[in-house]
Amino acid sequence: MAKRKAFEDSAAEQDSDVVSSLEESSSEDDYDEIRQEFEFFDPQSPWDFEGFKRLLRQLFDADATSFHLGAIADLILAQPLLGSTIKTEGNESDPHAVLTILNLKQHKKEPVIKDLISYIANRAATNPKLSPVKDLLNVENGTNVGLILTERWVNIATELIPPMYRMLQEEISWAVEEKEPYTFSHYLIVSKTYLAIPSMLDEQTNRPKKKMKPKATKGVDEGHSMYYFHPEDEVLERHATSFGGFDYIKQSAEGESDSKSTFHDFGIKQRGHLILIEAAKFEGALKEMETEFATSTTQPGNTIAPMDES
């Protein structure tokens, strides 16, 4: 059965089974509307295993090979009543999105959790803004951090994400009522951003430089314009104890960002991103997220596309 209730509650004035995505047409100002049905499901084995690995590979980007992604997927599937997926072709189809949480303290003996904790601590140490993260990752100091993992395909509108967070919050509450180990002191969200950096092609070809006109500049990082892959991260940051970006350990080759800027005068540099929130402040962040993304209108360009598995 699909998990529909939270979605219906968050979209009272629209069909709970259908969300419109907009596909950009050949005209810059005209768009063709595509009706696409999205359904929420619990994480379920065996259908979600490969899909989870693909989404995790996309989330951790260049550093995805640092982890046993299958082991992370197994941990997610071992707690089917916690977290949600979004699918378009029924229960046995591939997930287009996942949002879940892992108890770092509970799973501290799992090799893949040790790898995750070590990796996050290492990356947090490269950014002074993330110093609280490194301290809290010591599972022996009495804190209990819930690691939130969320990723989706580009056709998933941001408006679908608040219901997933709401369902997660409710499921955590139910688990705590059942005396399960999900009483967290903090939530740590793993995410990613990208920077618009000057293209090397300009210097190599001496072509005139043009001003980039991005859809929405969200901030500055390393002196470059920064953008969110997950727009809801900006809301979460307003309630965070700390947040910040970091370079991936496995950096792209020099000039590789230009391959992602064929139609722009800027290259793209992807970075990891962490957001740390006290559990007591999470409800406030969720309410603001639900308010900010209450509309059902998706943004131009949210079209179905395969993920890069390279």
Side-chain angles (χ1 to χ4, degrees), residues 10 14 23 32 82 84 87 106 113 119 186 205-206 244 256 259 281 289 292 310:
S10 69
Q14 67 177 20
E23 183 177 64
D32 296 326
L82 209 58
S84 301
K87 300 181 179 182
Q106 179 190 13
I113 294 298
Y119 171 81
H186 297 77
T205 62
N206 293 320
E256 185 173 320
S259 66
K281 296 181 179 180
M289 188 191 302
E292 183 152 335
S310 59

Side-chain angles (χ1 to χ4, degrees), residues 7 16-17 32 41-43 58 69 81 83 106 108 117 137 139 160 165 175 178 183 189 209-210 239 246-247 260 272:
F7 179 64
S16 65
D17 293 338
D32 296 326
F41 291 91
D42 294 314
Q58 179 174 296
L69 299 182
L81 299 182
Q106 179 190 13
K108 63 182 180 180
I117 291 175
L137 287 176
V139 296
L160 290 172
Y165 269 104
E178 296 297 324
T183 301
I189 298 98
K209 295 183 179 180
K210 299 177 182 179
H239 299 261
F246 59 86
D247 288 331
K260 303 175 183 179

Side-chain angles (χ1 to χ4, degrees), residues 121-138:
N122 175 279
R123 295 295 83 200
T126 66
N127 187 340
K129 294 180 180 179
L130 294 172
S131 57
V133 173
K134 185 177 180 181
D135 297 335
L136 287 170
L137 287 176
N138 183 356

Side-chain angles (χ1 to χ4, degrees), residues 64-107:
T65 55
S66 301
F67 313 107
H68 187 338
L69 299 182
I72 301 177
D74 282 335
L75 288 176
I76 297 172
L77 291 169
Q79 47 182 39
L81 299 182
L82 209 58
S84 301
T85 64
I86 294 177
K87 300 181 179 182
T88 62
E89 298 180 9
N91 191 28
E92 298 183 17
S93 62
D94 285 339
H96 286 212
V98 61
L99 190 151
T100 191
I101 190 167
L102 295 176
N103 188 326
L104 296 182
K105 188 173 184 178
Q106 179 190 13
H107 299 298

Side-chain angles (χ1 to χ4, degrees), residues 30-230:
D30 296 330
Y31 299 92
D32 296 326
E33 184 174 339
I34 297 177
R35 304 291 287 180
Q36 178 67 63
E37 179 176 323
F38 295 100
E39 296 180 289
F40 295 99
F41 291 91
D42 294 314
Q44 297 183 58
S45 179
W47 305 298
D48 293 341
F49 181 76
E50 291 299 330
F52 283 175
K53 287 202 302 180
R54 285 192 290 270
L55 288 167
L56 289 167
R57 187 177 300 117
Q58 179 174 296
L59 175 62
F60 289 105
D61 203 83
D63 287 347
T65 55
S66 301
F67 313 107
H68 187 338
L69 299 182
I72 301 177
D74 282 335
L75 288 176
I76 297 172
L77 291 169
Q79 47 182 39
L81 299 182
L82 209 58
S84 301
T85 64
I86 294 177
K87 300 181 179 182
T88 62
E89 298 180 9
N91 191 28
E92 298 183 17
S93 62
D94 285 339
H96 286 212
V98 61
L99 190 151
T100 191
I101 190 167
L102 295 176
N103 188 326
L104 296 182
K105 188 173 184 178
Q106 179 190 13
H107 299 298
K108 63 182 180 180
K109 294 183 179 180
E110 296 287 342
V112 72
I113 294 298
K114 292 180 180 179
D115 291 341
L116 276 170
I117 291 175
S118 176
Y119 171 81
I120 294 173
N122 175 279
R123 295 295 83 200
T126 66
N127 187 340
K129 294 180 180 179
L130 294 172
S131 57
V133 173
K134 185 177 180 181
D135 297 335
L136 287 170
L137 287 176
N138 183 356
V139 296
E140 305 300 333
N141 64 8
T143 58
N144 196 7
V145 178
L147 183 68
I148 293 179
L149 300 174
T150 177
E151 184 59 297
R152 70 254 199 182
W153 290 19
V154 296
N155 66 309
I156 300 299
T158 305
E159 289 77 13
L160 290 172
I161 305 306
M164 297 182 79
Y165 269 104
R166 175 58 66 189
M167 285 186 281
L168 179 65
Q169 181 81 321
E170 292 177 348
E171 289 159 353
I172 291 173
S173 297
W174 297 335
V176 171
E177 289 177 2
E178 296 297 324
K179 309 299 181 183
E180 295 184 31
Y182 293 102
T183 301
F184 298 109
S185 60
H186 297 77
Y187 297 109
L188 180 61
I189 298 98
V190 177
S191 193
K192 59 183 183 178
T193 61
Y194 62 97
L195 307 181
I197 60 177
S199 173
M200 293 178 63
L201 295 175
D202 289 335
E203 299 179 2
Q204 294 172 353
T205 62
N206 293 320
R207 64 178 181 175
K209 295 183 179 180
K210 299 177 182 179
K211 292 184 178 181
M212 185 180 185
K213 295 183 179 180
K215 294 180 180 179
T217 300
K218 296 299 183 181
V220 177
D221 196 353
E222 291 190 340
H224 303 294
S225 298
M226 184 190 77
Y227 307 90
Y228 295 96
F229 281 104
H230 301 163

